[in-house]
Amino acid sequence: GQQVMQIPQYQHVQEGEDFTTYCNSSTTLSNIQWYKQRPGGHPVFLIQLVKSGEVKKQKRLTFQFGEAKKNSSLHITATQTTDVGTYFCFTGANSKLTFGKGITLSVRP
Amino acid sequence: NAGVTQTPKFQVLKTGQSMTLQCAQDMNHNSMYWYRQDPGMGLRLIYYSASEGTTDKGEVPNGYNVSRLNKREFSLRLESAAPSQTSVYFCASSVGRSTYEQYFGPGTRLTVT
């Protein structure tokens, strides 16, 4: 079965609103990576989280690894049109290399 | 550095035809991967090569074969294409397996009629 779940698959926000999405697993994960894919493009690595409760920031993006290492969140503050794309989580847990199905974010200007 | 390159960028095949998708990386990475991306399905791993000389099946290997020709090159072969193999195919590479960031190529858009 799928290692990591991302629900919903689509989200629409107004420019300037905050956005949060989650990546969930039923098993403990050794690591979580996040990727972004712009429309028509290829996935690009954003960040990796390894430690329980770890928080990392990249400008308006905040990534967190859950205390139990079974979930991760991506929060975007004050979304911009440049944030449009699909965000995927990925894990190499338990020797299985698995991407979540992704969440596609659209931003209304 | 070109990073990860893939050829061709687009391809149309008829059912039953064969073809090989080529992938090369110039980053001296040990691990290479082939994924397919279908709408609503995310990225699914077809095959990967943790290091030169080794290959392993991923989630959806049926209908595909791979060759790790050398450290730089990792090819994906469709022996007898089927419409279900219509997809966008991405090659990726990383320093090592699973805990290292993956660098993706631009993708090959394949249509099988």
Side-chain angles (χ1 to χ4, degrees):
Chain A
Q2 192 172 17
Q3 293 273 88
V4 287
M5 299 274 293
Q6 293 183 260
I7 297 173
Q9 286 192 265
Y10 302 92
Q11 192 153 347
H12 311 280
V13 300
Q14 186 73 39
E15 188 174 20
E17 288 182 344
D18 290 355
F19 163 77
T20 302
T21 189
Y22 300 90
C23 178
N24 299 309
S25 173
S26 59
T27 59
T28 301
L29 304 173
S30 56
N31 67 319
I32 276 280
Q33 296 176 353
W34 285 91
Y35 291 78
K36 177 182 179 181
Q37 183 178 23
R38 295 183 185 275
H42 58 274
V44 175
F45 174 82
L46 293 176
I47 207 86
Q48 173 164 263
L49 304 169
V50 178
K51 299 176 182 177
S52 169
E54 188 172 16
V55 178
K56 289 188 176 181
K57 294 188 177 185
Q58 288 182 349
K59 297 182 179 178
R60 295 178 294 103
L61 276 62
T62 302
F63 304 84
Q64 185 163 5
F65 206 1
E67 293 290 343
K69 300 182 74 174
K70 288 186 175 182
N71 56 70
S72 178
S73 64
L74 158 60
H75 177 83
I76 303 178
T77 303
T79 54
Q80 299 177 357
T81 55
T82 53
D83 296 322
V84 163
T86 302
Y87 294 85
F88 296 97
C89 59
F90 168 87
T91 185
N94 304 323
S95 299
K96 291 189 70 174
L97 308 173
T98 309
F99 275 89
K101 291 186 177 181
I103 180 166
T104 298
L105 174 66
S106 66
V107 179
R108 295 186 297 271
Chain B
N1 288 351
V4 180
T5 57
Q6 291 183 237
T7 55
K9 291 187 177 180
F10 301 94
Q11 184 72 49
V12 179
L13 291 178
K14 294 186 177 179
T15 298
Q17 288 184 320
S18 63
M19 81 160 294
T20 299
L21 280 63
Q22 307 286 353
C23 174
Q25 52 91 10
D26 62 0
M27 296 174 283
N28 200 34
H29 285 171
N30 292 306
S31 300
M32 297 185 74
Y33 314 82
W34 277 105
Y35 293 94
R36 62 177 289 173
Q37 185 173 35
D38 304 292
M41 298 298 292
L43 292 151
R44 293 184 292 170
L45 183 65
I46 304 172
Y47 272 93
Y48 68 98
S49 171
S51 61
E52 186 178 357
T54 69
T55 59
D56 287 285
K57 294 179 180 179
E59 181 185 353
V60 289
N62 291 345
Y64 305 95
N65 286 301
V66 290
S67 295
R68 184 74 183 265
L69 305 169
N70 47 55
K71 192 171 186 179
R72 290 187 63 249
E73 299 171 289
F74 189 38
S75 63
L76 178 71
R77 182 160 179 84
L78 287 69
E79 290 291 350
S80 179
S84 60
Q85 294 178 304
T86 293
S87 188
V88 180
Y89 292 85
F90 287 102
C91 177
S93 71
S94 63
V95 170
R97 186 185 171 284
S98 87
T99 58
Y100 295 90
E101 66 180 277
Q102 295 179 53
Y103 293 80
F104 283 79
T108 295
R109 188 172 294 275
L110 175 67
T111 302
V112 183
T113 61

